[in-house]
């Protein structure tokens, strides 16, 4: 994730990603925090937290790590302790973002499939606890990354850049930690999200058929079902977020699987197919940190309305200033 890329494509991509992703996530946080999108406080809590962690991924992985490596090689951020700290932050933000997506999927699964448990679990308070636990564990679990790198060069007693420490290859505990990290993010989340969505779909299909039979009219007229309509909107949002996550993280999973068959393979340069695959996986993975806001805009009418109001506000403020008479 932290190997500095080179080339015009990487420079343009990461610059554009930073320019788009930062304001997009800030807008999502502002709109969802207002609580006027017709979503429950529980859902809003998860979505705000997901947008916040996505923003942290962009700040740490793109703005602090990628862009300086491309435009300002050899800067203060390349000193080994700073580099190691930024790597730990990247993994902490990444894991928090991924597992909040999993917990959001689980929350919607409970809300749809377990009506009795929904009353106790799908609450604003529970969501706050889950978010706090996920983010805390995301930070604590990734502390070892700070110690898993060593300087690439030492110039005038100053360590520069980060390379894989020899202890990661020679010490079994570090090798296990590295493998578990890859499995926990994103392989296990992949399986959990796919499984939860499959169970949710099966429940929805069964419930829909049952409700249609119960609500069928003797005259043959179709009756509106507010509960099913509300559930449909929730499902569209859930599946859109889950599908986007799976598609954009798929190259990262492929990279992980390829790595298992290329143990000991050494990347020879920036044109090496192995490096291109790894960097492409990172590019798609980071792209997932700015897609949720577009999903909200497409699937949620009230979110679009709030977005329009937010965009009109600066213009309205400017017009009011121009129309007001000057102060004497």
């Amino acid at each position: 994730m932290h190997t500095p890329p080179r080339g015009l494509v990487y420079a343009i991509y990461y610059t554009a990603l930073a320019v788009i992703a930062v304001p997009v996530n800030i807008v999502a946080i502002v709109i969802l925090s207002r609580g006027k999108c017709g979503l429950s406080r529980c859902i809003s809590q998860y979505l705000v937290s997901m947008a916040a962690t996505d923003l942290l991924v962009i700040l740490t992985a793109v703005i602090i790590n990628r862009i300086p490596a491309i435009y300002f090689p050899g800067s203060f951020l390349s000193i080994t302790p700073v580099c190691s700290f930024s790597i730990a932050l990247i993994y902490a933000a990444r894991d928090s973002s991924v597992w909040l997506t999993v917990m959001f999927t689980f929350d919607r699964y409970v809300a749809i499939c377990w009506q009795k448990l929904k009353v106790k679990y799908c609450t604003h308070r529970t969501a706050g606890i889950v978010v706090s636990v996920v983010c805390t564990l995301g930070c604590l679990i990734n502390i070892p990354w700070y110690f898993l790198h060593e300087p690439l060069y030492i110039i005038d007693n100053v360590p520069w850049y980060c390379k894989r420490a020899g202890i990661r290859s020679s010490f079994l505990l570090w090798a296990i930690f590295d493998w578990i990290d890859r499995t926990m993010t994103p392989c296990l989340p992949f399986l959990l999200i796919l499984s939860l969505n499959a169970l949710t779909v099966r429940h929805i299909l069964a419930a829909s058929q049952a409700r249609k039979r119960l609500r069928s009219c003797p005259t043959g007229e179709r009756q509106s079902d507010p509960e099913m309509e509300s559930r449909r909107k929730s499902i569209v949002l859930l599946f859109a977020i889950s599908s986007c996550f799976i598609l954009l993280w798929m190259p990262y999973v492929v990279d992980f699987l390829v790595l298992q068959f290329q143990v000991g393979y050494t990347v020879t340069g920036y044109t090496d197919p192995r490096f291109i695959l790894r960097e492409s996986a990172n590019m798609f993975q980071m792209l997932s940190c700015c897609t949720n806001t577009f999903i909200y805009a497409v699937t949620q009418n009230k979110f679009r309305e709030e977005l329009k109001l937010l965009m009109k506000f600066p213009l309205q403020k400017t017009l009011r200033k121009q129309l007001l008479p000057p102060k004497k």
Side-chain angles (χ1 to χ4, degrees), residues 230-263:
S230 174
R231 184 176 295 181
R232 185 189 68 81
K233 293 180 180 179
S234 179
I235 288 300
V236 169
L237 178 62
L238 170 64
F239 284 1
I241 292 175
S242 300
S243 300
C244 187
F245 172 84
I246 290 172
L247 288 175
L248 293 178
W249 275 85
M250 183 64 72
Y252 196 89
V253 175
V254 172
D255 177 63
F256 168 72
L257 296 176
V258 170
L259 182 63
Q260 307 311 305
F261 296 97
Q262 292 184 339
V263 179

Side-chain angles (χ1 to χ4, degrees), residues 6 8 12 23 26 40 63 66 69 76 144 148 151 181 184 196 207 260 283-284 321:
R6 292 288 187 274
L8 183 61
I12 295 175
I26 292 175
S40 67
I63 296 179
R66 284 293 196 269
F76 167 77
L148 288 175
D181 173 77
M184 293 294 290
L196 290 171
Q260 307 311 305
M283 293 166 72
F284 280 108
K321 286 184 178 181

Side-chain angles (χ1 to χ4, degrees), residues 40 42 46 106-112 114 117-127:
S40 67
C42 175
Y46 279 111
F106 179 74
D107 178 89
R108 293 300 85 201
Y109 164 73
V110 172
I112 294 169
W114 300 90
L117 182 59
K118 172 186 175 181
V119 178
K120 295 183 178 180
Y121 182 80
C122 300
T123 64
H124 181 260
R125 181 175 180 274
T126 302

Side-chain angles (χ1 to χ4, degrees), residues 124-194:
H124 181 260
R125 181 175 180 274
T126 302
I129 294 173
V130 170
V131 169
S132 300
V133 170
V134 168
C135 293
T136 301
L137 289 177
C139 293
L140 295 177
I141 291 174
N142 286 289
I143 289 176
W145 284 113
Y146 180 81
F147 304 98
L148 288 175
H149 297 87
E150 60 187 15
L152 185 61
Y153 308 109
I154 297 180
I155 303 174
D156 296 331
N157 294 323
V158 178
W160 289 94
Y161 299 106
C162 293
K163 71 173 183 178
R164 179 173 179 157
I167 192 173
R168 287 175 63 176
S169 302
S170 59
F171 195 28
L172 179 60
L173 183 62
W174 294 120
I176 294 174
F177 170 79
D178 199 357
W179 190 87
I180 290 176
D181 173 77
R182 288 275 193 157
T183 305
M184 293 294 290
T185 306
C187 294
L188 182 57
F190 249 64
L191 295 176
L192 290 174
I193 289 175
L194 288 173

